[in-house]
Amino acid sequence: MRNAPTILHLDMDAFYASVEQASKPSLRGKAVVVGGLGPRGVVATASYEARVFGVHSAMPMAQARRLAPNAAYLVPRFALYRAISEQVMALLRELSPLVEPLSLDEAFVDLEAGGTAWDRESARLTGIKLRADIREVTGLTGSVGLAASKMLAKIASEQAKPDGLVLIEPGSERALLGPMPVRTLPGVGPATGDHLRRAGITTVEELAEAGEDELVRLLGKAHGHALYAMALAHDDRPVVAEREAKSVSVEDTYDVDIHDRLRIGLEVQRLADRCVGRLRGAGLSGRTIVLKVRRYDFSTLTRSETLRGPTDDPAVVREAAARLLDSVDTTGGVRLLGVGVSGLADYTQEDLFAQAMPARTAETPEEIGAEVVVERPEPAERHWRAGQDVRHAEYGHGWVQGSGLGRVTVRFETPQSPPGRVRTFFVEDPALEAADPLPLVLDLAHPPPTPEEFVDQVSSDPASLPKSWSGAEEGDATSRP
């Protein structure tokens, strides 16, 4: 393990909820819960104001509503979260080539590899500047941990929350870890924690005192060795730069099981198109099409088909996904559908006929049919989701507070405005339309982009935007199967 505290761990504070509060002035300082709002929804993130009531991530949404009935419950806008995350990650990549993202709002950085820190003081100053840059770029706060290893840097960022910086001095690691619960260490989940507790081990100090042989006896050779080393504050895991994606996929969980075979087919076609959209957005193509189906009884089936060459053609992916669906029994209904593409490449096979022909059935051309494009029927009524961005021809930009009984309630405000007024419309009001998210922070020295320009620019080149702009891309809702 290195001697200087030059491993940095950044964790954005209540990221999704903080983005929503920054976007919606009327929610600042109030309890906000982000997640799937249907019967199977779970909490993705809760603001610190909501956590006071006991609401936390991964909690069933129904339970959260009982604990905090007056909180604002919003659908996730992964579009906006991804774009803001890209800007934060761009700041991290300015510090070092070794940036290891763990999620949209969390990453390790090896400052020594980037030459931006080499001792305690340079690391501390780098952490202070990073937090200031993140606030300038996004208007949001992040907590920073600095230590000589990844494990300790993550523990430090937890101690720094919210909106702080903690540096673990070299030589103080054992004393710091000793009284902490064993669950603090990476790899110690509920099952391992319970197993250790039954053996009389509840703190990291007790873990170290138990000795390596005892931990190997309790947990097995690999886990026992690793846990003993961490109990002694030894963690030699390097920061690993971003790996290339191995697959691109999308999936949806449905509040009510789908039984109609035609509807299932239409959903698969829609998911295939969304998957190709992501594929093209990343400049990739792929050879293997994967279909995922979770049935009414929670059994999950996957089917795959490998093409002769990589493709990013939506018709080809739709056809392959439809063929895969034909092999799945959906009697009884499905609760989740997903379409993915793997075997990625940064080029597209020019032979479109070869694309359409699965490699494993290339000798049976009768299975290759003409493209069938099925138009998805327009819904009888537009559906507005709580938290969704909208624009009204007369009142401008706002967001949906709620809808029902043929009406939708909208609060008209922007990230830079004071809390706005609420108005109610019929859901079919032609003056009301869905809108793109607005930047959280504007740089008045530069003309701000339109929402559409902002989304396009962030998607194509996040680093090209002025530091004080942030924006959006496309994403999914959060649900529990």
Side-chain angles (χ1 to χ4, degrees), residues 74-147:
L74 310 174
V75 295
R77 294 186 296 164
F78 287 113
L80 187 54
Y81 310 152
R82 284 194 179 99
I84 295 174
S85 172
E86 268 303 313
Q87 293 193 319
V88 172
M89 296 300 167
L91 288 175
L92 298 183
R93 287 190 287 269
E94 290 177 8
L95 301 178
S96 173
L98 293 183
V99 176
E100 182 178 342
L102 304 180
S103 62
L104 290 179
D105 61 340
E106 186 180 2
F108 288 110
V109 185
D110 187 332
L111 299 178
E112 188 175 2
T116 49
W118 48 91
D119 59 11
R120 178 193 182 282
E121 187 59 19
S122 60
R124 187 181 68 85
L125 293 175
T126 299
I128 291 172
K129 183 178 185 301
L130 172 64
R131 291 178 59 236
D133 287 345
I134 289 172
R135 189 184 289 272
E136 178 195 352
V137 170
T138 67
L140 305 175
T141 63
S143 296
V144 167
L146 291 158

Side-chain angles (χ1 to χ4, degrees), residues 30 56 87 89 107 114 128 135 141 155 166 170 172 214 219 235 252 280 295-296 299 305 332 355 394 408 427 455 473:
K30 298 183 179 178
H56 57 78
Q87 293 193 319
M89 296 300 167
I128 291 172
R135 189 184 289 272
T141 63
I155 290 172
V166 167
S172 69
E214 176 65 7
L219 305 172
D235 179 20
D252 276 346
R280 288 182 167 180
R295 298 189 291 190
Y296 69 98
S299 61
E305 177 178 290
Q355 289 177 7
E394 180 179 353
V408 55
V427 295
V455 171
E473 192 185 306

